Structures are given as C-alpha cells and as structure tokens.
Amino acid sequence: MKFKKMSYIYVLVIILMFSTIVNAVEIMTLDDIKTGMKGFAKTVFHGYEVEEFPIEILDIVEDQGLNTDLILFKASGEQIEKAGGIAAGMSGSPVYINGKLIGAIGYGWPLSNHRYGLITPIEEMLKLFETTPEKNQGKSPSINLKTPLFISGMRGRAFNRMKDSFEGFGFEVMQGGGSSSVKSNGHSLEPGSAIAVQLVRGDINVASIGTLTYQDNERILAFGHPFNNKGNVEYLLSRAYINGIIPGLETPFKLGSVTDELLGLIEVDRGAGIAGRLNKYPKIIPLRVKVNDKDRNKTNVVNVQIVKDEDLLTSLITNVSLQSLDATLDRIGKGTARVNYKITGKGLPDLGVERNNVFYSRNDIAAVSLYEIYNIIDIITSNPFKKVELIDVKLDIEVENIDNVALIQEAKVLNESIKPGDRLEVEVTIRPYRQEPFVKTVFIDLPEDMNPGYASLMIDGGLTGESYQTIPEEGMEQEESNQAIIGGYKDLESILEDFLERPKNNELILQVYPGYPMATVGNQSTNSEADVDSNLEENIQDENNTADLEKNNNETDKENLLDDELIEEDEEIKQLYPTEYVLEGSLSLDINVEEKDGAEKDGAEIVQENKPAAE
C-alpha cells in the first residue's frame, strides 16, 4: 500500500512538471530587443483560427507614460494587406522573436498608415499578476489602439444613450453582431485567440473584443493596454467569434460576436493591459425587466447579467430597462405606467427594498416610468455611508395608452370651526382629463398640542409634489443632486426610508403647516400685528419694562419655536389618500385654529380653485 501511494505521488509530480513545461513560454526582455529584428504576431482574422503575420522591429520608443517604454514595429503579410493594417480588436495579439514572447500589440494611430504600431513589453504586462493595488497604475499613451466596445440587442435612443456614456470613457462604441452560436469545436484557447470582456451578458450584450496575449495555467494576460483603467475589477471573460475585419479610414476594426462560452473573470485592469483567471467567475447582478403593453396584449421579458461596477450600474440598468420598454411598446408617446421594482442586496434594510408607483406622461411614458429606478440605484451606488452588494434587481412595468391623469380643481374645508385636536373634513373636487369632475371627501387630524392661530392646508397631487419630468440625459452631472439627496442624513437606511415613503403619483396629499404662534404680551394674546405694536408702544416708555418684555418674548418665542420644530419633525401633520388617477395640481388654504375655549368662527367658506389647462 505504501509503494502504491508513493507511485501515485511520483506520477502526479511528473504530470505537474510536464504541465508547467507545456504552459511555460520563454520571454525576451526590452534590453535584448534590437532595431531590425523580425518575428511574427498571432491573432484571429476570422472565426476562431489563430493565424500568424510578419512584423519587424523599427525602434524602442522611450518614456511613453511613467517610465514605460514601447516597441515601434511594422506589420506585413497577406492578411494585414487585406485588412488595411492593424485593426482595433488586435489589441493583445502576442508578438514573438526567435520563438520568444516580447509583448503584445497595444497602440496605433488613427488616420495614418495602419501597418505601424506599438508593442507593450511583456515584462510590463507580467507585473499585472502582482495584486498590490498601488502597483501598475501607470497611464497609457493617448494613442492607444481603441478596443471596440460592441453593444448588441439595443437600438435607437437606448443604444445612443449607452454609446454616449461609454464614449466618455474613451471607447469606440459600435453595434455588435449579437451572441454567436458558432461553436469553437477543435479550436482550443491559446495566445492569439479572440476574447471578450463583458459588462452585460444575456438578452443584451455589452462587450469589448480583444486578443489573448499570455496563458500560464489558469492565469491570463490580454489587450496590452487598459480596458477602462479601473485597477482591481470583476468583469466577465468570454470567448469571442470574429466575423471579419472591416477596413476603415480612421482605423480598421474586428467585427466580432460574444459566444456562450464563459471563460472566467478579469480581475486587473491597468496601464499595461488586463489580467484574469480562467474557470473563476465574478459575482454578477441579475436584472430582469418584464414589460406588458396592455393595448397590444404583448409581453416581453429581458434577462441580463451585469457586472458589479458602481460607476456603470445606474447607466447600465436604466438603459437596459429603457430598451426593454421601447422594444415592447414600439413607440414613443403618452400613456400611463404601473411600475413595481424590487432590489435585493447585502447592506439594504431587510436585505431589500420594494416599491410600486403609477406614472403618467403626455410625451414619453417609457422614459418617465424609469425615473424612480434611476434615482434609487443612483442613491445606492453613490451613497457615502457604506457599500451595498447588490444581489438582484427586478422590474415589472405595465403600460397603457390612456390619459389616466386628473387635476385637483377645487378644495373646501367643511368644518364650522377648527380647534387643536379636531379632524378637518375637506371636500376636494377632482377633474379627470377630458371628463366630468367628481368630489372626494377626505380627513386630516390636527394634533392636540397644536398652537392656535393661522395655519396653511396644502393639497397636492403626487405628480406635482414630485416635480420631475424624466430620467436625466446620459452624461448629465448628477453630483449636485446626489449631494442634495444625502444632505442632512447620517446613514443610508434613513435616505432609503424617506425615499420609499414619498407620496406616490396617484396619491392625494393633505398636509398642514402650522403658522407662527400668537405673540404674547403680558397676560394677553393676539393674532393682530397692530395689537402687538400698540402694546409694545405702551411698554416702551419704561426701559425696565421693555427689557423684561423682550426677555419674556424671547423665552416664549424660543419655547414655541421648539414646539413647532417638534411638530414638524416628529409629528408631521400629513395624510395620504390613494386614487385611481395620477394627480396634478396644488392648492393652499388658510385656516384659523382657535383656542379650545375661544369663540367659534365660521370656516365653511375656505375655498380655493385650480382652473384646468386648456384642452
């Protein structure tokens, strides 16, 4: 038994040694590279097949970004001539001299002779395997051979919004060919193979196609320049199929498709390229968007997986959702939408938040219906308090081409007198769009300790109270709005609580704002500014009385102000009533809250009216 065990260990050691020899690649450092040397590079021109093409070293270009030297070369050969030179998507193509790896094609120049380019030395790329965050943070030259970012499954304005977003990061954004069903049978993954770095995977794909440079067992290097220069990342790594190389005046580019073959993850994205691991996969966020067009009885469900990059999440989730809506509705226009969203994540209250709301737009219901999901994802990803690990996002959106909107036209307080602790009875006239108005009677309770005096009763529609139009245009600066949202808060939980408790667009909002407390002079109280002035004139003749009066008034005002703050913060006088309509309009009524033992005054004719917009 001992002999068999030792034999097994011996065989295992031999296998491991052989595996290391197979994967080992000799390298040639920059010091040994001379002008005039010739070699070859490897890349895919079509399909999965890796082909070679000749290169010649022209010179060493020194100091191309924080002491980084690059290698100037010229490419040649039949395939290069046919393609019109080095193409975007060849980034990462390994280059060999005398059978030794010297680096990867990484840079070129637009509107030039595309046979010329720059190679990133392999010794710089190998440093990417070092995981210390502060290492390899060098900037890449501004002449990098742009890696094409392909977006498939999107069109129209959703594609244009996504395009604008990524072009801000320096990508060359193009319509992609979708997900390829062509299998890579007989074509093993090797240096020179086409790979894809994916940000979105599924019914919609957002991916950048480049070339594998180096493989050491399950560790890989690629691109020869940064993808997004984000440092330590978790991006999806997949196999890519190349449809062909498209010649171009500015630069040729590889047209490719992402395959179903998920390889692993990219975990480093720095100046010299990207590094990752095979058979190890990143944590992703599943997004499901279900859209039901009630007018055409049509339902679409879009499922994607999105990488966990806080800088990209709001844009990716919003634009994938917008594409889902536009594809289902096949129109841009008015309508009413009922939206339910559920977001699950570690760090959220009770591991998740859920809300439903109703939206209306006369011009663009698809964009308006995404307003809240845009804002809540933006709050979660940009909050300064803690990192939230999103687990799952679900949206259910039902759209109907109806004008389910109404105006708050008139309101009247029915109480004959109003005292602290009373229940206000309010008659609200609501006029649906192009229909006859109807009356709704609602109530709001006043607190027992409310100060007597004049107060304001605000009657709002949820849509008016929210004061929004649509999701922001891509690229608009959101920092100021984010700062406004988090201002005064001490944690994420309180921000989300307030956000989720905001009135819904179909809710009638009644809110009482207490006025200033009645000024007190001696033992008398008054609501009249003239009475206050008169009493002050009588007392001002005596400096001592004046000093005492100011002291008493200051103390009284301070106490009353504290009482008001308590009512405003802890006892908000507010009542919500759901309706069948998205409500527009706002009314304000002045009410007189009497002392409990005061004389009664008639409040029945406290009325305000909104006129409907011209039809």
Side-chain angles (χ1 to χ4, degrees):
M1 293 293 293
K2 186 180 291 186
F3 174 78
K4 287 184 179 180
K5 185 176 181 180
M6 289 183 65
S7 298
Y8 173 77
I9 294 173
Y10 177 77
V11 171
L12 182 60
V13 169
I14 294 297
I15 291 173
L16 289 173
M17 288 176 61
F18 178 77
S19 176
T20 302
I21 293 171
V22 168
N23 285 291
V25 176
E26 286 191 79
I27 68 169
M28 181 182 292
T29 64
L30 201 61
D31 293 337
D32 296 326
I33 297 173
K34 308 298 180 187
T35 299
M37 283 184 166
K38 295 183 179 181
F40 63 90
K42 298 169 70 174
T43 199
V44 174
F45 291 93
H46 182 266
Y48 295 104
E49 185 179 356
V50 176
E51 300 182 54
E52 299 178 0
F53 60 91
I55 65 96
E56 179 181 356
I57 304 300
L58 300 179
D59 206 348
I60 305 298
V61 183
E62 297 181 353
D63 199 9
Q64 289 295 297
L66 297 180
N67 300 318
T68 299
D69 298 336
L70 300 175
I71 306 164
L72 179 64
F73 77 100
K74 181 182 179 181
S76 59
E78 181 181 349
Q79 290 282 33
I80 291 294
E81 295 301 321
K82 185 189 300 184
I86 303 160
M90 288 186 184
S91 300
S93 297
V95 182
Y96 301 86
I97 293 177
N98 299 329
K100 297 180 180 180
L101 179 62
I102 69 167
I105 295 174
Y107 302 93
W109 296 269
L111 301 174
S112 66
N113 187 328
H114 303 304
R115 295 165 184 79
Y116 295 85
L118 293 168
I119 297 167
T120 301
I122 188 59
E123 58 263 43
E124 292 298 322
M125 296 185 69
L126 287 169
K127 293 176 184 177
L128 296 173
F129 287 143
E130 302 174 25
T131 57
T132 307
E134 53 274 0
K135 294 186 177 181
N136 303 304
Q137 300 246 19
K139 294 183 178 179
S140 60
S142 59
I143 53 173
N144 64 296
L145 189 63
K146 285 187 177 180
T147 301
L149 186 77
F150 292 105
I151 300 176
S152 62
M154 299 185 78
R155 58 185 175 84
R157 61 176 175 171
F159 171 82
N160 291 331
R161 285 172 58 93
M162 193 86 88
K163 183 175 184 288
D164 291 343
S165 177
F166 281 105
E167 283 182 345
F169 291 108
F171 288 100
E172 186 74 28
V173 181
M174 290 177 270
Q175 286 277 6
S179 179
S180 176
S181 59
V182 181
K183 303 298 181 183
S184 60
N185 297 336
H187 295 94
S188 60
L189 186 70
E190 60 176 296
S193 293
I195 59 169
V197 178
Q198 282 187 282
L199 303 176
V200 179
R201 178 182 177 88
D203 294 329
I204 292 172
N205 284 282
V206 179
S208 191
I209 291 177
T211 304
L212 180 67
T213 305
Y214 175 87
Q215 180 180 351
D216 178 12
N217 292 318
E218 294 191 341
R219 301 191 304 174
I220 64 100
L221 296 171
F223 279 25
H225 62 66
F227 169 66
N228 202 15
N229 210 34
K230 295 292 289 289
N232 294 347
V233 296
E234 283 192 68
Y235 295 153
L236 291 155
L237 174 64
S238 302
R239 194 79 185 266
Y241 175 86
I242 302 302
N243 302 95
I245 297 181
I246 311 301
L249 180 61
E250 184 173 351
T251 183
F253 65 91
K254 287 187 180 183
L255 179 64
S257 306
V258 180
T259 72
D260 295 334
E261 190 177 346
L262 187 61
L263 299 174
L265 86 160
I266 295 299
E267 52 192 355
V268 179
D269 175 14
R270 301 188 185 275
I274 58 174
R277 290 183 180 274
L278 303 177
N279 303 315
K280 181 181 178 183
Y281 305 99
K283 297 176 181 177
I284 49 85
I285 302 169
L287 168 65
R288 191 214 66 184
V289 184
K290 181 180 179 181
V291 180
N292 177 20
D293 182 349
K294 290 192 69 176
D295 299 298
R296 299 193 297 161
N297 195 26
K298 179 180 179 181
T299 300
N300 278 338
V301 180
V302 172
N303 287 288
V304 297
Q305 299 172 337
I306 300 178
V307 299
K308 291 188 174 183
D309 187 323
E310 288 187 330
D311 295 332
L312 303 176
L313 267 178
T314 302
S315 175
L316 292 175
I317 289 174
T318 305
N319 289 320
V320 167
S321 302
L322 182 60
Q323 173 61 37
S324 306
L325 279 158
D326 283 352
T328 305
L329 301 180
D330 198 21
R331 67 179 180 88
I332 296 176
K334 70 179 178 70
T336 301
R338 292 169 179 82
V339 180
N340 178 270
Y341 56 85
K342 183 176 182 180
I343 303 168
T344 308
K346 295 179 182 178
L348 295 176
D350 299 321
L351 291 178
V353 294
E354 185 172 6
R355 178 174 163 92
N356 60 75
N357 205 344
V358 185
F359 298 86
Y360 172 77
S361 174
R362 291 178 175 85
N363 305 304
D364 191 349
I365 186 57
V368 166
S369 68
L370 297 175
Y371 173 81
E372 278 198 8
I373 191 67
Y374 175 92
N375 275 277
I376 196 167
I377 294 295
D378 200 38
I379 289 171
I380 291 170
T381 56
S382 63
N383 87 87
F385 303 109
K386 64 179 176 181
K387 184 178 179 64
V388 175
E389 293 289 340
L390 290 178
I391 297 171
D392 186 70
V393 179
K394 289 186 173 70
L395 277 82
D396 287 277
I397 306 172
E398 182 181 271
V399 182
E400 195 169 1
N401 189 7
I402 58 174
D403 295 294
N404 201 48
V405 63
L407 175 71
I408 300 172
Q409 184 170 315
E410 185 179 349
K412 179 168 63 175
V413 176
L414 301 180
N415 301 58
E416 292 185 359
S417 65
I418 304 169
K419 298 184 179 69
D422 281 356
R423 167 169 286 188
L424 283 186
E425 185 176 359
V426 186
E427 185 179 88
V428 182
T429 301
I430 297 173
R431 176 170 176 166
Y433 183 69
R434 293 180 176 175
Q435 297 179 36
E436 292 299 314
F438 65 91
V439 173
K440 185 178 181 69
T441 302
V442 291
F443 306 89
I444 183 168
D445 294 323
L446 302 180
E448 293 282 351
D449 57 353
M450 183 176 177
N451 288 305
Y454 282 100
S456 294
L457 170 62
M458 294 295 299
I459 303 170
D460 277 321
L463 184 64
T464 304
E466 288 303 315
S467 300
Y468 66 80
Q469 295 298 322
T470 183
I471 52 175
E473 289 298 319
E474 204 67 52
M476 286 180 62
E477 187 61 54
Q478 294 299 309
E479 289 184 4
E480 291 184 6
S481 62
N482 288 337
Q483 290 170 359
I485 289 173
I486 67 174
Y489 290 100
K490 296 181 179 179
D491 52 49
L492 175 61
E493 286 74 14
S494 57
I495 300 176
L496 292 174
E497 181 180 358
D498 279 1
F499 184 90
L500 296 172
E501 288 181 355
R502 293 189 306 176
K504 297 175 182 178
N505 298 327
N506 65 323
E507 288 182 326
L508 183 66
I509 309 163
L510 273 67
Q511 187 159 9
V512 174
Y513 295 92
Y516 290 104
M518 293 182 293
T520 303
V521 183
N523 293 324
Q524 296 180 352
S525 63
T526 178
N527 289 329
S528 168
E529 292 183 6
D531 290 341
V532 174
D533 291 340
S534 176
N535 285 321
L536 286 174
E537 287 176 5
E538 293 175 5
N539 286 284
I540 201 169
Q541 298 173 4
D542 190 329
E543 291 184 1
N544 292 331
N545 288 343
T546 302
D548 292 339
L549 177 63
E550 289 178 352
K551 181 178 179 181
N552 290 336
N553 281 341
N554 287 338
E555 290 176 354
T556 303
D557 289 346
K558 187 174 182 180
E559 290 175 2
N560 288 331
L561 181 60
L562 288 173
D563 288 342
D564 279 351
E565 287 177 350
L566 287 174
I567 289 175
E568 201 170 311
E569 292 180 7
D570 299 332
E571 300 178 19
E572 189 177 47
I573 310 171
K574 189 174 184 178
Q575 187 67 47
L576 306 178
Y577 287 90
T579 72
E580 296 179 2
Y581 300 92
V582 174
L583 294 176
E584 295 181 319
S586 178
L587 299 174
S588 176
L589 305 178
D590 290 329
I591 59 174
N592 182 24
V593 180
E594 303 172 3
E595 291 185 349
K596 288 193 175 182
D597 58 347
E600 293 186 356
K601 294 183 179 180
D602 186 7
E605 293 305 316
I606 302 174
V607 178
Q608 188 175 351
E609 180 179 358
N610 269 335
K611 293 183 179 180
E615 295 179 359

